């Protein structure tokens, strides 16, 4: 078989949990890419300026980062984790249902912030749950998990497009064209309508013919089965508080995780709070007394792994956000509608890459895939920089860039967790750093393009990619240091155990001799 029978057996034993987490990430992908195309209509709805409405989206991204940071708080029991997922998924549906009723930009910002917080909690918990369940076999299932993000992000513009207004709210001026084209196409992933926005301090009148509220309500309905599925999983696991019996620990409930842990540590090992407590939030990890006395390599693996994702996810956010701005500007100067397809191609490549990475992650170690993907991303951006006047290679390079960047996050997650033997705070740190990188790099690259010109877009890309590769080389060095530390600790433990074993054997022989003599 193409897939090992053991992997199939693992999936069958945890199919209900796995499918539920995958559906959560499909919903997550819908939410991530759904808001961008509606920016004009929301601007009309709230009678706000463009600068005001962009702060609404910043609030959503910022709270998503906060949610990712605190999501590990709910990992202690299976019930608390699933309950947090259920409430978060339900909150997303509620928020999207009431967004059409938000006629004030401040109220809309609060609604977006709450939805971002819920998505951040989903992001962290779903990753932690899969890593906890499958442990050393989690790479395949993490690839599939993140495939559903790309799939949802690819589908969401198709839902929004029929309901979007193409007339805008203001008059036609040239000053707002470039900014509006950027924000309209940053997340829309579809061809842009050729129109300009008048940026004045006067309030905009809402477009009477707008039907965007139907798009938000459809989104709420599509997302509604997700919390229902999580609630059904809670019921199936008999975790409802009114049911008899206490709430089990996460690993106690999952037999597979217990078996994997026993195989890794030996039959006589005991699972302590340190083994499972590491997958908490960043703040609790920093206060964990069990981490005192650990080597520098343990902490550097967390830091360097997070910084690599800070760079690579930053490239994903910046490329998806500004490739249209780069394409329509000289020297490329592509037509608006042609350039509008670049973001769709990028997300489609990410989706295809994550699907392709599922069998690859089974055949190859995550470290090799990371090296290949990082090197491929650098070469692709470098070729884009060399052939900066070729529109054909821009489309080819966009596709290749999406393919190489698609699986870096799940590979890094599986790689660092395997190094640390599923202890520490790798999942929470990586998720937080990835979200922070996507938010920071979009602001940084956008400001550089605004001041230095569109050509600096690719220069920023090659610099960020090279820095990420250098950080990964440092991660490899500290990985070797940590392996040596673990090997040395194991040898010392074995040397201590040998005299004890010999003494016990000697005592047993003496007792046996005395019993024979007395008989």
């Amino acid at each position: 078989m193409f897939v090992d029978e053991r992997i199939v057996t693992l999936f069958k034993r945890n199919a209900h949990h796995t499918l539920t987490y995958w559906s959560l990430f499909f919903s997550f992908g819908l939410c991530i890419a759904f808001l961008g195309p509606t920016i004009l209509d929301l601007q009309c709805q709230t009678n706000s300026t463009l600068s005001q409405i962009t702060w609404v989206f910043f609030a959503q991204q910022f709270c998503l980062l906060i949610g990712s940071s605190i999501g590990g708080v709910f990992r202690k029991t299976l019930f608390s984790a699933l309950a947090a997922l259920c409430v978060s998924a339900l909150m997303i549906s509620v928020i999207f249902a009431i967004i059409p009723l938000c006629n004030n930009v401040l109220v809309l910002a609060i609604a977006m912030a709450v939805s971002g917080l819920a998505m951040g909690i989903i992001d962290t918990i779903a990753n932690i749950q899969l890593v906890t369940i499958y442990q050393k076999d989690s790479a395949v299932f993490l690839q599939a998990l993140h495939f559903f993000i790309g799939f949802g992000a690819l589908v969401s513009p198709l839902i929004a497009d029929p309901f979007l207004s193409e007339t805008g709210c203001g008059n036609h001026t040239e000053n707002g064209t470039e900014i509006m084209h950027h924000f309209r196409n940053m997340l829309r992933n579809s061809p842009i309508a050729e129109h300009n926005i008048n940026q004045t301090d006067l309030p905009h009148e809402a477009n009477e013919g707008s039907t965007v509220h139907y798009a938000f309500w459809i989104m709420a309905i599509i997302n509604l089965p997700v919390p229902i599925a999580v609630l059904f999983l809670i019921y199936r696991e008999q975790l409802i508080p009114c049911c008899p019996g206490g709430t089990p620990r996460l690993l106690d409930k999952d037999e597979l995780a217990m078996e994997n842990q026993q195989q890794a540590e030996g039959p006589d090992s005991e699972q302590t709070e340190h083994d499972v407590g590491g997958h908490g939030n960043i703040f609790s990890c920093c206060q964990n007394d069990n981490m005192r006395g650990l080597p520098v390599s343990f902490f550097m693996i967390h830091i360097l792994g997070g910084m690599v994702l800070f760079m690579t996810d930053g490239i994903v956010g910046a490329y998806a956000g500004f490739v249209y701005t780069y394409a329509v500007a000289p020297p490329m100067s592509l037509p608006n509608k042609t350039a509008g397809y670049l973001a769709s191609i990028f997300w489609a490549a990410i989706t295809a890459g994550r699907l392709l990475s599922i069998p690859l992650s089974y055949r190859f170690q995550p470290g090799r895939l990371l090296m290949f993907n990082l090197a491929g991303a650098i070469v692709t951006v470098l070729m884009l920089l060399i052939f900066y006047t070729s529109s054909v290679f821009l489309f080819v390079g966009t596709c290749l860039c999406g393919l190489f960047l698609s699986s870096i996050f799940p590979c890094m997650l599986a790689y660092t967790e395997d190094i640390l033997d599923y202890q520490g705070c790798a999942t929470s740190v990586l998720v937080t750093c990835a979200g922070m990188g996507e938010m920071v790099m979009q602001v940084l690259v956008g400001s550089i393009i605004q001041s230095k010109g569109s050509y600096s877009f690719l220069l920023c890309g090659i610099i960020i990619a090279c820095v990420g590769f250098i950080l990964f080389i440092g991660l490899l060095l500290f990985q070797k240091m940590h392996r040596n530390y673990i090997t040395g600790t194991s040898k010392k433990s074995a040397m201590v155990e040998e005299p004890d074993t010999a003494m016990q054997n000697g005592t047993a022989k003496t007792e046996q001799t005395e019993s024979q003599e007395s008989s």
Side-chain angles (χ1 to χ4, degrees):
M1 293 181 62
F2 182 73
V3 179
D4 192 276
E5 186 68 26
R6 184 175 60 85
I7 299 296
V8 177
T9 303
L10 295 179
F11 174 74
K12 289 180 179 180
R13 296 179 65 176
N14 297 275
H16 196 173
H17 284 263
T18 306
L19 293 174
T20 302
Y21 302 144
W22 287 352
S23 67
L24 282 161
F25 261 52
F26 175 75
S27 174
F28 184 92
L30 286 174
C31 297
I32 284 293
F34 190 84
L35 298 177
T38 62
I39 185 172
L40 277 177
D41 301 271
L42 292 175
Q43 182 185 353
C44 300
Q45 176 181 304
T46 57
N47 293 328
S48 60
T49 62
L50 181 61
S51 60
Q52 291 173 336
I53 201 68
T54 53
W55 280 107
V56 170
F57 292 94
F58 176 81
Q60 191 248 359
Q61 282 291 111
F62 182 72
C63 287
L64 192 153
L65 178 61
I66 295 176
S68 298
S69 302
I70 67 174
V73 172
F74 306 99
R75 99 287 179 195
K76 291 187 177 180
T77 63
L78 182 61
F79 173 73
S80 62
L82 293 179
L85 290 175
C86 183
V87 172
S88 298
L90 181 62
M91 188 59 64
I92 290 174
S93 290
V94 172
I95 291 300
F96 275 93
I98 67 174
I99 282 177
L101 307 178
C102 299
N103 295 323
N104 182 275
V105 67
L106 180 60
V107 176
L108 181 61
I110 295 174
M112 295 292 191
V114 173
S115 67
L117 186 67
M119 287 188 288
I121 293 173
I122 290 174
D123 190 13
T124 297
I125 294 180
N127 279 290
I128 289 177
Q129 294 290 84
L130 278 186
V131 170
T132 303
I133 291 174
Y134 293 104
Q135 296 199 6
K136 294 185 181 298
D137 298 298
S138 60
V140 176
F141 302 97
L142 286 173
Q143 295 287 358
L145 183 75
H146 290 272
F147 158 77
F148 280 96
I149 295 182
F151 183 54
L154 180 63
V155 170
S156 59
L158 302 178
I159 301 173
D161 192 71
F163 304 100
L164 298 177
S165 172
E166 296 293 344
T167 58
C169 302
N171 300 327
H172 291 231
T173 65
E174 187 161 351
N175 293 334
T177 301
E178 182 177 353
I179 300 176
M180 194 62 248
H181 279 168
H182 160 59
F183 283 104
R184 184 71 173 187
N185 290 273
M186 183 169 60
L187 295 173
R188 179 172 181 177
N189 308 339
S190 62
I192 183 171
E194 298 182 12
H195 62 277
N196 305 320
I197 301 299
N198 181 25
Q199 285 188 303
T200 64
D201 295 331
L202 298 176
H204 302 294
E205 296 181 0
N207 184 6
E208 297 179 357
S210 175
T211 58
V212 71
H213 55 277
Y214 292 117
F216 285 103
W217 290 339
I218 291 174
M219 180 64 198
I221 294 174
I222 291 177
N223 188 73
L224 192 58
V226 177
I228 296 176
V230 180
L231 185 62
F232 179 71
L233 179 60
I234 296 175
Y235 173 77
R236 185 175 178 270
E237 293 293 327
Q238 298 180 354
L239 299 176
I240 305 296
C242 60
C243 295
T247 302
R249 296 284 299 180
L250 178 59
L251 291 187
D252 292 339
K253 188 65 182 176
D254 190 87
E255 298 177 359
L256 176 62
M258 288 292 292
E259 292 176 4
N260 290 342
Q261 189 74 11
Q262 291 176 358
Q263 290 175 2
E265 298 180 357
D268 297 329
S269 64
E270 294 182 359
Q271 189 174 19
T272 64
E273 178 67 20
H274 175 59
D275 294 331
V276 298
H279 294 102
N281 59 51
I282 294 179
F283 311 107
S284 64
C285 288
C286 295
Q287 299 173 357
N288 195 341
D289 294 335
N290 293 326
M291 291 188 179
R292 294 178 181 178
L294 291 174
V296 177
S297 59
F298 180 87
F299 301 98
M300 290 303 299
I301 288 172
H302 286 83
I303 295 173
L304 292 176
M307 290 305 298
V308 171
L309 289 187
F310 183 92
M311 299 298 170
T312 55
D313 271 51
I315 295 176
V316 172
Y319 199 93
F322 294 98
V323 65
Y324 173 83
T325 304
Y326 170 76
V328 297
M332 195 66 65
S333 301
L334 291 179
N336 295 336
K337 290 187 177 181
T338 303
Y341 287 109
L342 286 169
S344 292
I345 293 174
F346 182 69
W347 280 112
I350 287 180
T351 305
R354 286 172 175 169
L355 182 63
L356 181 63
S357 298
I358 295 174
L360 290 179
S361 61
Y362 171 71
R363 297 294 180 183
F364 301 98
Q365 294 295 324
R368 294 184 178 181
L369 291 177
L370 282 169
M371 180 71 73
F372 177 78
N373 288 332
L374 288 169
I378 293 175
V379 173
T380 300
V381 179
L382 181 62
M383 296 298 291
L384 285 170
L385 195 61
I386 295 174
F387 300 101
Y388 66 96
T389 58
S390 173
S391 59
V392 174
F393 192 78
L394 177 61
F395 281 87
V396 175
T398 298
C399 183
L400 292 176
C401 193
L403 287 174
F404 286 122
L405 293 172
S406 60
S407 61
I408 290 180
F409 181 89
C411 283
M412 180 62 72
L413 188 60
Y415 180 66
T416 53
E417 287 284 11
D418 184 55
I419 294 174
L420 300 174
D421 199 19
Y422 304 90
Q423 303 175 13
C425 312
T427 300
S428 296
V429 171
L430 296 184
V431 171
T432 302
C433 290
M436 188 180 298
E438 187 172 351
M439 181 177 63
V440 172
M441 288 302 176
Q442 281 186 341
V443 177
L444 180 62
V445 173
S447 62
I448 294 176
I449 293 176
Q450 185 71 25
S451 60
K452 301 298 182 180
S454 62
Y455 188 76
S456 59
F457 167 69
L458 294 178
L459 286 175
C460 291
I462 192 67
I463 292 173
I464 296 172
C466 289
V467 171
F469 188 81
I470 293 173
L471 291 171
F472 179 70
I473 297 299
L475 177 63
L476 292 178
L477 296 177
F478 279 101
Q479 180 260 345
K480 292 183 178 179
M481 293 175 57
H482 194 68
R483 292 294 188 193
N484 293 335
Y485 168 80
I486 294 176
T487 303
T489 304
S490 301
K491 289 181 178 179
K492 290 181 180 179
S493 300
M495 292 175 63
V496 172
E497 291 176 358
E498 286 179 358
D500 294 340
T501 304
M503 185 178 298
Q504 292 175 0
N505 293 335
T507 303
K509 290 181 179 179
T510 302
E511 293 178 351
Q512 184 177 5
T513 303
E514 292 177 353
S515 62
Q516 290 177 355
E517 292 177 353
S518 62
S519 61

